[in-house]
Amino acid sequence: MTPRPEGSGAPDGLSLATARAVVGAVDAAGGYAGGVYLRSGTPGLLLMAVLAGLPGRLMRPWWRMHVNRPFPVAESYRSGTPVYLGDAEEAMRRFPQLMAGLPFPFGSLYVPVRSGPTVVGVLVVLRHATRGEPVGANDRRRLEDVAERLGDAFTELERDGTEIVWEGEPLTVRLPAEATRPVRVGHFTWDLATGAVTADDGARVILGTEPVDRPPSTMDALTARLPPEDVAGLWTLAGMVTRHEGPRVRRTRLRGPDGRALLLELSGHGPAPRLTGVLLDTGTEPVVPEAADRLPRAIFSLDRTGRVTHVNRPAEELFGVTRADLVGRTLAEALPWLADPAYEDHLRAALFSADPVYFLARRTPTELLSVALYPGRDGITVTASTTGRHEDTADSGASGSAGLGSPADRAAVLYRPVALAIALTEAMTARQVSAVVTDELLPAFGGRQLAIYLLNERRLYLAWETGFPRGFLAGFDGIGLDARIPGVETLTTGRPLFFESMAQLEEAYPGIPRDTDVGARAFLPLIASGRSVGSCVLGFDQPRGFSPEERTVLTALAGLIAQALQRAQRYDSEAALARGLQDALLPHRLPVCDGVETAGRYLPGTWGMDVGGDWYDVIETGSGLALIIGDVQGHGVAAAATMGQLRSAVRSFALTGHDPQETMEATNRLLIDLDPGQFASCCYVLLDPGSGRTHAVRAGHPQPVLRHADGRAEVLDLTGGVVLGVDQEASYPVTEGRLAPGDVLALFTDGLVEKAGEDIDQGIERLRAALAEVGGVPLAQVADRVIARAGQDENRPDDIALLLASRTDPPD
């Protein structure tokens, strides 16, 4: 579903139920913000459906969350269990990537939401850090109750035909403001001719009249606890109302018995000198606009959605914008120069933590403002004042497009490479490393171009590029280490080279080809453990300086990139060796048997380099054609070795005349005797090519799928036993069946049908539907189509094995 835009009317049932749950969860856990992630139409992708208490624009990088990412939202969704992080230290230990992107002291709570047995989303609450204390049992229970009620609402919506799926941007919700005292209203009637006053309980309580059970009879008795100047002002106002011709309504402020401001409205009724008073106690008193206007410093306030709620007169004068143009707009709309990513980091810091935030902001190229953010549960108060003019922006250490002049500003930008350092630890291939550098390093420093060269046989070869004109870098590909160009010299000398403009670069290297007339360049050596790996080039659209902090950080990051690339090169070679080992253990071709066609496919997982334990086999025996598929638990050389032993054992037992039940029981006992510390699943189908009769046994393996010649497809129900290697006395009953001409039998391992956060039955149903759709094509093409669909998923933690068998029509 797509959320309604603001102002388009009431939200739909899914939006409303989710928004209510978020507000309730924030209140239940004592938080200041919250949200809900829901599954989307893209498998494995969660989208933020509702966000409360934070500006949607500031949280855009967190709108999307893949279920396989190392973040608490994804873990809670995958595992189906809550994740409670009391403070930043606990979060850093468990989820360093979360804290790299949001390096603020805050606590966060994540609870999965189920519709029936299926996890469909995650409820999130953010709150101030508990400073080393774990999240309390009461907070956990209350939050889990909210999640359970939301799950019940989702179940009802699904019964009514609403799919619990979210598409599009999150729905932002304003949290109700916190009030320490309730708003109170009182009424009274004042007869000026007689002096008699009739007041209700509300007015007497607000004014502190004693005793409250005996109504005051005069205005003096009602106002006895007010300051004398307020009483005199009240009588003066009464006279004004009675003498005024036309609408007789006036308002004033009174100081209550406890010193807080009260609002009084008096109105006249009819020709008689009678007045009606309405007294309002607003509870917690906001900043009085007149008081803020008298302060010499610019002050304005924001609510927790980032909208301006108040502006004093000095702020109008400083920014050159009226209150009408500021109030009600987001900060980015009202003051676009404050929408720079570096300043957004400061705003996020104030919204996530309870501590004040101070920084310098560049309003114009030559003017700096000192800005302070004072956060509270319901919003932020901002103060701003001028600090003077800075003419030389190039020498002030300005970085990137922000033009930042203070260490605090630069630190706000430079912390982002921490995310690069952490992300590099997960990159396994050279391409993944380069993609991480593109996604993390370039935005952190305002770069637009990147080139990575790898060293091989004393030559630099282009491994990755982005942002450069097409073909521009071709002339530098394969260049030798004797060439005098900066990409080579930074590697041979081990020193980074920084050029603040193309003019500087051309002066140092006359005649070097250039892709632009402007722009800065940084050339970084990629050296890991004293070994040269390559060089990295960063390009910028405009001239710019490189502060000492930036040069230090970029040089350090180049070392991390080099280590990641070195690891990736080692991974590539070792992975090739490992895959070659597994390929040798799998059958290179399947036997050709009259009346039966077979096709096998194997697809390695995308995580890690370890070989897996999946295998398939087709064996011609004296009793028929044996179709076997199996999966050894775990990965690595041990799993591959066990797989090879089991494949040999099954083949040996089958060829020596053992029936399927005997073969499975003997293989089980053998695995227990070998004691490799692993178990395995297996499915064995013995097919008579002439009659089509089958005898099948199953040891903890997924049920096969059968596609009939007429296009119907069904999941078979084979009686099974426990996995191999667990129970010495396990038995494996035989299920008889028949494979008709044109039928297709599909045996597969769980990697084909399993996805994180999803029940395996859903994956089996997808396979059944896919086989039902395929018709009239050769069996090899059927196998290719099935395996191609699985290959589209770039995050496959497990290997996949597939074995298809089909009876052909008997010859005429």
mmCIF file of all heavy atoms in Angstrom, residues 597 744 774-783 785:
data_model
loop_
_atom_site.group_PDB
_atom_site.id
_atom_site.type_symbol
_atom_site.label_atom_id
_atom_site.label_comp_id
_atom_site.label_asym_id
_atom_site.label_seq_id
_atom_site.Cartn_x
_atom_site.Cartn_y
_atom_site.Cartn_z
ATOM 1 N N GLU A 597 14.694 -38.895 -18.379
ATOM 2 C CA GLU A 597 15.596 -37.766 -18.611
ATOM 3 C C GLU A 597 15.874 -37.103 -17.275
ATOM 4 O O GLU A 597 14.968 -36.921 -16.454
ATOM 5 C CB GLU A 597 14.959 -36.764 -19.578
ATOM 6 C CG GLU A 597 15.864 -35.599 -19.947
ATOM 7 C CD GLU A 597 15.173 -34.614 -20.885
ATOM 8 O OE1 GLU A 597 13.991 -34.841 -21.202
ATOM 9 O OE2 GLU A 597 15.818 -33.625 -21.270
ATOM 10 N N VAL A 744 7.304 -34.436 -14.065
ATOM 11 C CA VAL A 744 8.631 -33.951 -13.676
ATOM 12 C C VAL A 744 8.732 -34.020 -12.155
ATOM 13 O O VAL A 744 7.905 -33.430 -11.442
ATOM 14 C CB VAL A 744 8.886 -32.516 -14.153
ATOM 15 C CG1 VAL A 744 10.217 -32.000 -13.628
ATOM 16 C CG2 VAL A 744 8.848 -32.439 -15.672
ATOM 17 N N VAL A 774 5.804 -23.714 -15.902
ATOM 18 C CA VAL A 774 6.686 -24.160 -16.975
ATOM 19 C C VAL A 774 6.050 -25.333 -17.703
ATOM 20 O O VAL A 774 5.669 -26.323 -17.091
ATOM 21 C CB VAL A 774 8.063 -24.581 -16.411
ATOM 22 C CG1 VAL A 774 8.959 -25.084 -17.542
ATOM 23 C CG2 VAL A 774 8.712 -23.420 -15.698
ATOM 24 N N GLY A 775 5.941 -25.218 -18.970
ATOM 25 C CA GLY A 775 5.361 -26.302 -19.745
ATOM 26 C C GLY A 775 5.867 -26.310 -21.165
ATOM 27 O O GLY A 775 6.119 -25.262 -21.758
ATOM 28 N N GLY A 776 6.027 -27.523 -21.713
ATOM 29 C CA GLY A 776 6.406 -27.648 -23.115
ATOM 30 C C GLY A 776 7.827 -27.269 -23.428
ATOM 31 O O GLY A 776 8.144 -26.946 -24.574
ATOM 32 N N VAL A 777 8.735 -27.249 -22.436
ATOM 33 C CA VAL A 777 10.129 -26.922 -22.693
ATOM 34 C C VAL A 777 10.981 -28.095 -22.238
ATOM 35 O O VAL A 777 10.582 -28.874 -21.353
ATOM 36 C CB VAL A 777 10.566 -25.633 -21.965
ATOM 37 C CG1 VAL A 777 9.758 -24.452 -22.456
ATOM 38 C CG2 VAL A 777 10.430 -25.781 -20.454
ATOM 39 N N PRO A 778 12.163 -28.273 -22.804
ATOM 40 C CA PRO A 778 13.042 -29.366 -22.390
ATOM 41 C C PRO A 778 13.378 -29.285 -20.904
ATOM 42 O O PRO A 778 13.378 -28.210 -20.296
ATOM 43 C CB PRO A 778 14.283 -29.175 -23.266
ATOM 44 C CG PRO A 778 13.798 -28.405 -24.445
ATOM 45 C CD PRO A 778 12.710 -27.515 -23.944
ATOM 46 N N LEU A 779 13.697 -30.450 -20.345
ATOM 47 C CA LEU A 779 13.949 -30.514 -18.908
ATOM 48 C C LEU A 779 15.128 -29.631 -18.511
ATOM 49 O O LEU A 779 15.116 -29.003 -17.445
ATOM 50 C CB LEU A 779 14.212 -31.970 -18.497
ATOM 51 C CG LEU A 779 14.182 -32.236 -16.988
ATOM 52 C CD1 LEU A 779 12.775 -32.035 -16.452
ATOM 53 C CD2 LEU A 779 14.659 -33.659 -16.691
ATOM 54 N N ALA A 780 16.145 -29.551 -19.348
ATOM 55 C CA ALA A 780 17.304 -28.712 -19.025
ATOM 56 C C ALA A 780 16.904 -27.248 -18.902
ATOM 57 O O ALA A 780 17.421 -26.523 -18.039
ATOM 58 C CB ALA A 780 18.378 -28.880 -20.098
ATOM 59 N N GLN A 781 15.986 -26.798 -19.743
ATOM 60 C CA GLN A 781 15.533 -25.411 -19.665
ATOM 61 C C GLN A 781 14.710 -25.178 -18.399
ATOM 62 O O GLN A 781 14.764 -24.104 -17.795
ATOM 63 C CB GLN A 781 14.722 -25.037 -20.897
ATOM 64 C CG GLN A 781 15.535 -24.959 -22.183
ATOM 65 C CD GLN A 781 14.712 -24.412 -23.338
ATOM 66 O OE1 GLN A 781 13.722 -23.707 -23.144
ATOM 67 N NE2 GLN A 781 15.138 -24.749 -24.563
ATOM 68 N N VAL A 782 13.939 -26.201 -17.993
ATOM 69 C CA VAL A 782 13.187 -26.081 -16.740
ATOM 70 C C VAL A 782 14.164 -25.879 -15.579
ATOM 71 O O VAL A 782 13.985 -25.001 -14.730
ATOM 72 C CB VAL A 782 12.323 -27.333 -16.503
ATOM 73 C CG1 VAL A 782 11.633 -27.238 -15.133
ATOM 74 C CG2 VAL A 782 11.288 -27.483 -17.601
ATOM 75 N N ALA A 783 15.230 -26.686 -15.543
ATOM 76 C CA ALA A 783 16.228 -26.549 -14.482
ATOM 77 C C ALA A 783 16.889 -25.175 -14.521
ATOM 78 O O ALA A 783 17.103 -24.542 -13.477
ATOM 79 C CB ALA A 783 17.269 -27.655 -14.613
ATOM 80 N N ARG A 785 15.654 -22.351 -15.662
ATOM 81 C CA ARG A 785 14.729 -21.297 -15.230
ATOM 82 C C ARG A 785 14.576 -21.286 -13.719
ATOM 83 O O ARG A 785 14.554 -20.224 -13.078
ATOM 84 C CB ARG A 785 13.368 -21.490 -15.903
ATOM 85 C CG ARG A 785 13.382 -21.240 -17.405
ATOM 86 C CD ARG A 785 11.974 -21.330 -17.975
ATOM 87 N NE ARG A 785 11.981 -21.193 -19.436
ATOM 88 C CZ ARG A 785 10.875 -21.197 -20.184
ATOM 89 N NH1 ARG A 785 9.681 -21.319 -19.604
ATOM 90 N NH2 ARG A 785 10.957 -21.068 -21.491
#
